[in-house]
Each structure stands twice: as C-alpha cells, then as structure tokens.
Amino acid sequence: MTIQEMKQLMQERGYTYAQIADLSGVPLGTVQKIFNGETKGLRYDILTALEGIFKEPMAVMESCAAYGEEKKPGMYTIEDYRALPEEQRVELIDGYFYDMAAPTTFHQLIAGEVYRQIANYIIDQGGACTPFISPIDVQLDNDEKTMIQPDVIIVCKPDQIERRNIMGAPDFVLEVISPGTKRRDHVVKLFKYEQAGVREYWIADPYKKRVLVYFFQREASPVIYPIDADIPVNIYEGKLTIKFQQIAKWGEQED
C-alpha cells in the first residue's frame, strides 16, 4: 500500500494524525512528516505498522453461508448475527462482522470493578438508571446493521431495555482495550458512539496505563487520566467517581 493510498483512506475514514500515531505506535512527528511528504525513504517496519491500521475488518462470511445465501461484507444484518452459533463471538457494525476474542482476566477485572462501583452508587442513591456488563447486545442505531457488545454501559431510559437487547444509544459506555480491538475502540466505535448519541465514552487502556474520557456533550477531545486516578463520571456531574487504584494494583501484578 502506498502513502498516497493511505492518505486517501485517512480522509475517507476521518482519521487524525494523532489517531494514526496512537494506533500504529509510530511517533506523531514521524506520522506528520510521512503524510506531508517530508520523508522520502520509509523503513519497512514503519510502513508495515501504518498499513496495519488501514486494513479492512475481517468479515465472518462463511458463518452465514450455513444459514442461507452468502452475503458480501457490509450487507450482514441482525438476522445473520442471531443465526450465528452461540460460541462464535462477534460484533456487527454497519453490516460488517468483527471477531471478538475471549477477554483476558485483567480485562474482566477492569470491567467488573467499574461496573461494581457504578452499580453500588446507583443502588445507594436509588437512581433510575440501569448498569449492564458484557455480554449485553446493544442495537446502537436502532437499525438492522449494527449490534455491539460494550464492556460496561449505563442506560437511563427504561424503554430502551428490551428482553433480548438494548435499543439505541446508552448514556455511558466503557470499553477496555484488547490487542485485537485497539483500532475498533479508538476509531470505529468512537465515531459510532458519538454519532448514535452516547453521552459519555470511556476507553480504558491497560497497556498504556491510561483512561480516555470523552464527554460528547461538552467537547470532542478526550480528557486523559492515569490508570490509578479517581475519575468523575460526567453524566452524574462528578457526584460518582470511579476509583482505579485497585485496578492499578491488579495491573502491577500483570506486568
């Protein structure tokens, strides 16, 4: 893939230089020089790292063939999603299937601890909102082409909660980064959540030891916290604070 082709994909997908640097591991200054044409020779490892973030998502095509007519990527629906074997973990986003690897134990510790603190607060305060932890299906766009499984969500409208799934955008979403979901959480889901009307989106990255907090009602840029911080939940106007100290201690045991 040439730099010109990557620049075209960058424009089509709305990537920023900062997102490309974060996802590829290539320093921001180097990314800017490459895409501005200031770098003539390009090392193979840097080119490979940049190409990796522009690869198309892998669609699960063979899984649907067993249940009917095989479809092209981008054409799958929730009916196809529900026809998959239960042991096949995927998310459906805009008609594409994305594979979901089994989460690590540390991934589950992070999600579980955040969920516990949220649920305790809501119960103690007699709150009207409802927290959920994965696996929970969310029909994000209220259409037939997207069904996702965020790690933790808060839903404040009871009529969104249906027997099989959540309909529409949750008020709060937490995603915990896994090696295979980095681009999806930072770019694909970030765009989807903002467009769908999610009010607040957290990305917990145990590998970079940080938490990015997007509060779309205020601004598009995230506030970045270290993974041992006390982080206020904006939809509760900071009255609920998630304490990450225990999560950070678990992380030290993982190192």
Side-chain angles (χ1 to χ4, degrees), residues 104-225:
T104 65
T105 53
F106 188 39
H107 180 288
Q108 292 300 86
L109 282 171
I110 296 173
E113 177 61 16
V114 172
Y115 170 80
R116 182 191 68 79
Q117 293 188 42
I118 291 172
N120 286 348
Y121 176 84
I122 291 174
I123 292 170
D124 291 344
Q125 298 297 316
C129 300
T130 305
F132 293 89
I133 189 169
S134 184
I136 179 72
D137 283 338
V138 177
Q139 200 166 339
L140 186 66
D141 296 324
N142 288 306
D143 66 8
E144 294 298 311
K145 300 193 73 174
T146 298
M147 185 77 89
I148 57 174
Q149 289 191 8
D151 289 310
V152 178
I153 63 174
I154 301 174
V155 178
C156 294
K157 296 178 181 177
D159 59 357
Q160 288 185 258
I161 304 171
E162 299 190 350
R163 183 177 63 85
R164 300 181 73 176
N165 56 261
I166 305 300
M167 290 295 296
D171 294 85
F172 171 96
V173 174
L174 165 78
E175 296 282 11
V176 181
I177 291 289
S178 296
T181 67
K182 188 175 182 180
R183 186 179 75 86
R184 193 186 319 167
D185 293 333
H186 275 287
V187 180
V188 179
K189 284 189 172 181
L190 171 63
F191 174 79
K192 290 294 295 182
Y193 288 146
E194 183 176 15
Q195 292 299 307
V198 170
R199 295 163 61 196
E200 186 165 2
Y201 176 38
W202 290 19
I203 303 176
D205 189 337
Y207 305 97
K208 293 192 175 182
K209 301 184 184 302
R210 68 184 190 182
V211 180
L212 279 67
V213 174
Y214 290 88
F215 187 44
F216 297 124
Q217 291 181 302
R218 185 180 300 152
E219 56 186 318
S221 299
V223 177
I224 302 175
Y225 295 89

Side-chain angles (χ1 to χ4, degrees), residues 25-96:
V26 177
L28 177 58
T30 302
V31 170
Q32 291 173 322
K33 288 181 180 179
I34 291 170
F35 283 88
N36 288 330
E38 299 175 32
T39 301
K40 301 302 179 183
L42 197 58
R43 291 198 336 239
Y44 176 77
D45 59 330
I46 292 179
L47 178 61
T48 301
L50 291 173
E51 284 181 334
I53 69 170
F54 291 104
K55 290 180 180 178
E56 290 296 330
M58 182 176 294
V60 186
M61 296 184 63
E62 68 281 2
S63 57
C64 289
Y67 298 91
E69 183 180 354
E70 185 173 309
K71 297 180 180 180
K72 294 181 179 180
M75 297 180 64
Y76 291 114
T77 67
I78 289 174
E79 182 180 1
D80 300 314
Y81 174 86
R82 289 185 170 138
L84 295 173
E86 289 186 7
E87 66 273 11
Q88 188 160 12
R89 300 185 71 247
V90 301
E91 289 183 305
L92 177 68
I93 301 177
D94 293 333
Y96 286 88

